[in-house]
C-alpha cells in the first residue's frame, strides 16, 4: 500500500471496524503478501502455532492490523512498530501512538480490528457456535445480576446471552488494557431491548459507568462482537463496520453504521 495516498477520515466520535474471514482466504499470492508485512517477532510467533488454521488466523489478522492502520496514517504497512503494556496489550510505537488507537480480536472464522482516534477502545469477537460450557462459566465468573438475568431467559437463549455478556466484558477489559487482571464479577452489563448496553461497577473497580459507551455487532449468524469506547455517555458515537479482504480491494470503503 503506497504512503502517498489520502488517509481515510476518522472523526473523534467514530470507530471503524474492519472484519475479515481468514479461512476464506486461500490465494497464495495474498498470503505471501501478508507474510511480507510482518516483522521478525510476528513471523516467529506465527510459525509456533501447531495447527495451520491458527497460523492462518494469526497471519491474516496481523496483516489486517498493519494494512488498516495505513488507511489512516501515511505509514507503510510493514513500517508499523508496536509496544506492549504490562498485560501484553499492543499499542502503536512512535508519533502516531498517542492518537491512533486500535484493538484486534480473532476467533475461529473471523478476525476484526477496531480503530479510533484519541480514545481508549477495545473490541472482541467470539464464535458463538463453538462447543463448551456457557451458563456454568457464568456462574463462576459473571456478576450476580448477569447470572440472574441470563437464567431468567428461556434455555434456548442462554448461549446467545452468554456471548453477549462475554464479548462486552472482553471489550471493556481490553479497552482498560489490563486483561483478565480485572475481576469479571466486579462489573456488570445491563441489556434492554432497543437500548445501548449499560455498565455498572463494584466500588472496588474505581471506574465510572457514564465514562463508557458500548456497541454490539452481529457480523454473521455464527459470530457475536462488541466494541467498548472510553467516551462519555450522551456524547455522539458512531461505529461503522465492513468486511474486507486485505490487499484485494474495498476502496473506497463501504461501511455499514450500527
Amino acid at each position: 500500500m503506497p504512503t502517498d495516498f489520502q488517509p481515510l477520515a476518522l472523526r473523534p466520535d467514530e470507530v471503524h471496524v474492519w472484519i475479515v474471514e481468514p479461512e476464506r482466504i486461500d490465494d497464495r499470492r495474498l498470503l505471501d503478501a501478508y507474510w511480507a508485512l510482518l516483522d521478525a517477532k510476528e513471523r516467529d510467533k506465527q510459525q509456533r502455532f501447531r495447527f495451520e488454521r491458527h497460523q492462518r488466523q494469526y497471519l491474516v489478522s496481523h496483516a489486517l492490523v498493519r494494512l488498516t492502520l495505513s488507511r489512516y496514517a501515511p505509514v507503510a504497512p510493514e513500517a508499523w512498530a508496536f509496544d506492549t503494556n504490562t498485560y501484553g496489550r499492543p499499542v502503536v510505537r512512535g508519533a502516531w501512538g498517542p492518537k491512533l488507537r486500535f484493538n484486534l480480536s480473532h476467533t475461529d472464522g473471523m478476525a476484526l480490528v477496531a480503530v479510533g482516534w484519541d480514545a481508549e477502545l477495545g473490541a472482541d469477537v467470539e464464535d458463538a457456535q463453538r462447543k463448551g460450557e456457557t451458563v456454568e462459566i457464568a456462574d463462576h465468573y459473571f456478576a450476580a445480576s448477569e447470572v440472574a438475568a441470563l437464567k431468567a431467559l428461556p434455555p434456548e437463549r442462554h448461549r446467545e446471552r452468554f456471548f453477549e455478556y462475554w464479548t462486552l466484558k472482553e471489550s471493556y477489559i481490553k479497552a482498560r488494557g489490563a486483561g483478565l487482571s480485572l475481576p469479571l464479577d466486579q462489573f456488570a452489563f445491563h441489556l434492554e431491548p432497543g437500548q445501548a448496553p449499560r455498565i455498572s461497577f463494584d466500588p472496588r473497580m474505581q471506574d465510572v459507568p457514564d465514562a463508557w459507551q458500548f456497541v454490539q455487532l452481529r457480523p454473521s449468524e455464527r459470530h457475536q462482537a462488541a466494541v467498548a469506547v472510553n467516551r462519555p455517555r450522551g456524547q455522539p458515537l458512531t461505529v461503522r463496520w465492513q468486511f474486507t479482504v486485505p490487499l484485494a480491494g474495498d476502496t473506497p470503503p463501504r461501511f455499514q453504521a450500527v
Side-chain angles (χ1 to χ4, degrees):
M1 182 177 291
T3 59
D4 58 351
F5 68 103
Q6 182 66 35
L8 287 179
L10 183 61
R11 303 194 313 265
D13 62 350
E14 282 187 324
V15 171
H16 292 174
V17 181
W18 296 83
I19 303 172
V20 66
E21 297 173 296
E23 286 86 342
R24 293 180 179 270
I25 301 176
D26 56 9
D27 185 329
R28 177 46 57 185
R29 292 172 299 177
L30 283 177
L31 296 173
D32 289 345
Y34 301 159
W35 175 260
L37 299 179
L38 304 188
D39 63 25
K41 288 184 178 180
E42 290 170 324
R43 291 176 182 177
D44 180 65
K45 186 170 182 179
Q46 192 263 359
Q47 289 293 293
R48 292 184 183 183
F49 286 101
R50 178 178 179 183
F51 297 108
E52 190 276 338
R53 68 188 177 95
H54 293 147
Q55 291 182 350
R56 182 166 303 192
Q57 286 172 11
Y58 185 94
L59 172 63
V60 175
S61 63
H62 284 74
L64 174 68
V65 167
R66 291 174 170 277
L67 289 160
T68 299
L69 292 174
S70 289
R71 294 178 183 272
Y72 300 95
V75 178
E78 65 275 15
W80 291 102
F82 306 97
D83 292 318
T84 55
N85 71 4
T86 303
Y87 302 98
R89 176 188 174 179
V91 295
V92 172
R93 182 190 303 166
W96 289 97
K99 291 291 185 180
L100 189 57
R101 311 297 181 87
F102 78 95
N103 200 230
L104 170 67
S105 179
H106 56 82
T107 187
D108 284 348
M110 187 169 288
L112 62 78
V113 59
V115 183
W117 197 253
D118 199 24
E120 296 293 351
L121 58 84
D124 187 56
V125 62
E126 300 290 341
D127 178 3
Q129 295 181 1
R130 71 178 188 230
K131 296 180 180 179
E133 297 176 320
T134 54
V135 178
E136 298 82 0
I137 294 175
D139 279 333
H140 290 92
Y141 296 105
F142 285 7
S145 62
E146 293 170 328
V147 175
L150 190 156
K151 290 185 174 180
L153 295 172
E156 62 271 18
R157 291 199 56 202
H158 285 178
R159 176 169 289 271
E160 179 183 14
R161 178 54 57 92
F162 171 85
F163 280 104
E164 287 184 319
Y165 283 144
W166 188 265
T167 52
L168 285 164
K169 284 177 170 290
E170 283 281 331
S171 70
Y172 170 73
I173 64 177
K174 292 175 73 177
R176 284 281 303 268
L180 290 173
S181 68
L182 297 178
L184 296 180
D185 63 348
Q186 290 185 16
F187 61 98
F189 282 93
H190 309 275
L191 305 178
E192 299 176 13
Q195 297 186 26
R198 294 183 297 107
I199 194 171
S200 62
F201 297 108
D202 182 293
R204 290 170 291 179
M205 287 291 291
Q206 298 183 342
D207 204 342
V208 180
D210 286 346
W212 294 93
Q213 294 192 50
F214 300 90
V215 175
Q216 295 174 285
L217 304 175
R218 195 63 187 263
S220 79
E221 184 176 345
R222 173 183 168 187
H223 295 93
Q224 180 73 40
V227 176
V229 185
N230 187 204
R231 185 172 177 81
R233 289 180 63 89
Q235 290 191 9
L237 174 67
T238 301
V239 174
R240 305 182 188 278
W241 64 278
Q242 80 162 53
F243 281 90
T244 183
V245 177
L247 294 178
D250 60 48
T251 301
R254 293 178 173 85
F255 288 115
Q256 301 182 54
V258 178

